[in-house]
Amino acid sequence: MKYYNEGIETLSRSQLENLQGELLKKMVAYVYERVPFYRAKMDATKVKPADIKSIRDIVKLPFTEKTDLRDNYPFGMFAVSQNEVVRVHASSGTTGKLTVVGYTKSDIDMWAEAAARSLTMAGVTAESTVHIAYGYGMFTGGLGVHYGAEKIGARVVPASSGNTARQLQLLKDFEATTLCCTPSYAAYLAESLKSNGYDIKDFKLKSGVFGAEPWTEAMRGHIQKSLNLRAFDIYGLSEITGPGVSMECEFQNGLHVWEDLFYPEILDAELNPVPGGTQGELVFTTLAKEAIPLIRYRTRDLCTLDTSACKCGRTHARMGKLLGRTDDMLIIRGVNLFPSQIEAALLAQGYVSPNYHLLVSRVDNTDVLEVQVELSDGMFSDEVKKLEKLRADIIKKIFSVTGLNVLVRFFNPGSLPRSEGKAARVTDTRKI
C-alpha cells in the first residue's frame, strides 16, 4: 500500500489551494461566530469573515500564541459545548497553567486519518505489528499514533513509556515490525539490548517512527544501524492535533504536511512570509477541527517548507527537519545555539554515545558551555592520548559549526541520566 488516501494525497497544487481556500473561509466564519477570543481579535484589526476569499488572504488574520490558550484556561478557546467533547488532552507549562486541548468525535476521526496517512509512509499495513512506546495519558503521543495504526488495521501493542526491559521483551515476543517512540528512547533501547540478553537478530523490526523532539541525520544513522530498521521522522503538537501533522515518505526529503487539514506558513522574525526553502518559524492554521480550531498558531518551531514535486507522488508541502524551537535556543556569548547542532557535531566524530548533556553556567561574567558526553564502549577511558585527541577533535568540530569554544567532559558509558520520553538535554544555571 503506497498511499492511505491517494485522492487527497496527490491533489494538484491548484486543487489543493482551492480546497484550502474553501476550508479557510468556513473556518474563519466558524471561529468568528463561536469563539469570543477570535471575534475580539478580528474586530480589533477590522477583519471580517467576508474578507477571506482565498487561502492567500490568511495573512489578514491575527496570530494565536500558546499564552492565549493558557490565558483562556481551561475551555475559553473551545468552539463547541463540553457535551460535544469526547476527549481532553493537556500539557504542563512553566506558569502552572496547563495548555488544554479537546476533540469532538469528528476531530478524533480526522486525527486518525492524518496518523494513518503518516504511518503508511513508514510501511505500516494491516499485516504490521506496531509497538508504541510513546507515553499514553494526557500527552498526545501514544493515543495519536495508536488510532492511526488501528485505522490502517495493524496490530497495536500499546506499551506506553518506561520499563525498558519489558519493552524489549514485548518487541521480541510480539514480533513488532514498527517501533514508535522518541529518537532518544530508541537510542536507549538499542543501548540496552546486550545488557538485557538480546541480539538485534532476535527482532523483526523494519521501521521506526520517531518524533516529539528534534533529532539529527547523525542520530538517524546511529538508530538505523543499531536497531536494524529504517527510521522515519514524524511531527505533531497537541495544540494542532498531535502526532501525524506531518511525516516523511520513503524518500525522506522532508515531512509531508497534510495541507487539507493543517495549513502551514513559514515566517521571519517580523512574522512576514519568507520565500520557499528559507528557514523561519512554522505557523499552522487548522482547517478541519471542531473543538478547538486555531488560526495562525505560532509553533515556535524552526524549519523550511518546500512545495516542489516529491518523487513519491504526494503533492503536500514538505517541512525540512526541525533545527529546534525558538524557546530551545541558547544564546551563549552572543551566539545562537541549538542542542541539535551539538548532537550532529558529536555523532560525526564517533567514539561517543548519542547520550549527551549541555551545562551552561556563568563564570566571571562570561558564559561557559560544558558539553558532557559519554564515551562509547569501544573507547577506554585510560587511553589518555586517544581521549585528548578525541576531545580536541570535538572542540574543533563544535567551533566550526557554532563559532564557540566549549569545554568537553567525558563520562563512562551508561553514567549520564537516560530519558524514557523527551530527552532533557540542557541545564542552564545562569541568572538571566
Side-chain angles (χ1 to χ4, degrees), residues 1-174:
M1 182 167 62
K2 182 176 181 180
Y3 304 104
Y4 182 76
N5 189 341
E6 183 174 359
I8 290 293
E9 294 176 44
T10 60
L11 285 173
S12 70
R13 288 303 303 176
S14 61
Q15 289 174 318
L16 195 51
E17 289 179 11
N18 288 337
L19 175 60
Q20 291 167 337
E22 292 303 311
L23 292 172
L24 181 64
K25 285 190 286 185
K26 292 178 182 178
M27 182 57 65
V28 171
Y30 179 79
V31 299
Y32 188 84
E33 177 186 347
R34 290 170 172 257
V35 185
F37 168 83
Y38 281 119
R39 185 162 56 251
K41 275 247 184 181
M42 290 173 64
D43 287 347
T45 55
K46 295 182 170 51
V47 178
K48 298 295 182 184
D51 297 328
I52 307 303
K53 296 179 171 57
S54 74
I55 194 62
R56 300 185 187 282
D57 291 325
I58 199 167
V59 295
K60 300 176 182 179
L61 295 168
F63 292 98
T64 311
E65 309 262 2
K66 178 171 282 194
T67 53
D68 295 325
L69 277 73
R70 290 179 179 149
D71 290 345
N72 288 277
Y73 173 89
F75 305 127
M77 297 288 287
F78 280 50
V80 299
S81 64
Q82 287 304 301
N83 61 10
E84 296 176 77
V85 176
V86 299
R87 192 192 304 166
V88 174
H89 282 284
S91 60
S92 60
T94 56
T95 64
K97 282 191 176 181
L98 300 172
T99 300
V100 179
V101 294
Y103 304 80
T104 64
K105 177 62 168 65
S106 176
D107 291 338
I108 294 293
D109 291 343
M110 177 271 291
W111 187 9
E113 164 77 17
R117 294 182 200 174
S118 298
L119 292 173
T120 296
M121 291 195 287
V124 175
T125 69
E127 287 71 49
S128 300
T129 296
V130 181
H131 180 106
I132 302 175
Y134 288 114
Y136 281 66
M138 300 306 282
F139 173 59
T140 56
L143 283 169
V145 178
H146 182 121
Y147 276 69
E150 284 191 344
K151 192 172 182 72
I152 292 170
R155 179 171 62 162
V156 177
V157 181
S160 195
S161 57
N163 198 338
T164 297
R166 183 169 173 269
Q167 298 272 2
L168 292 170
Q169 179 187 354
L170 294 176
L171 282 165
K172 175 182 178 295
D173 294 348
F174 293 176

Side-chain angles (χ1 to χ4, degrees), residues 35 88 92 127 227 278 282 344 362 382:
V35 185
V88 174
S92 60
E127 287 71 49
L227 287 178
T278 303
L282 180 61
R362 181 161 286 163
D382 58 350

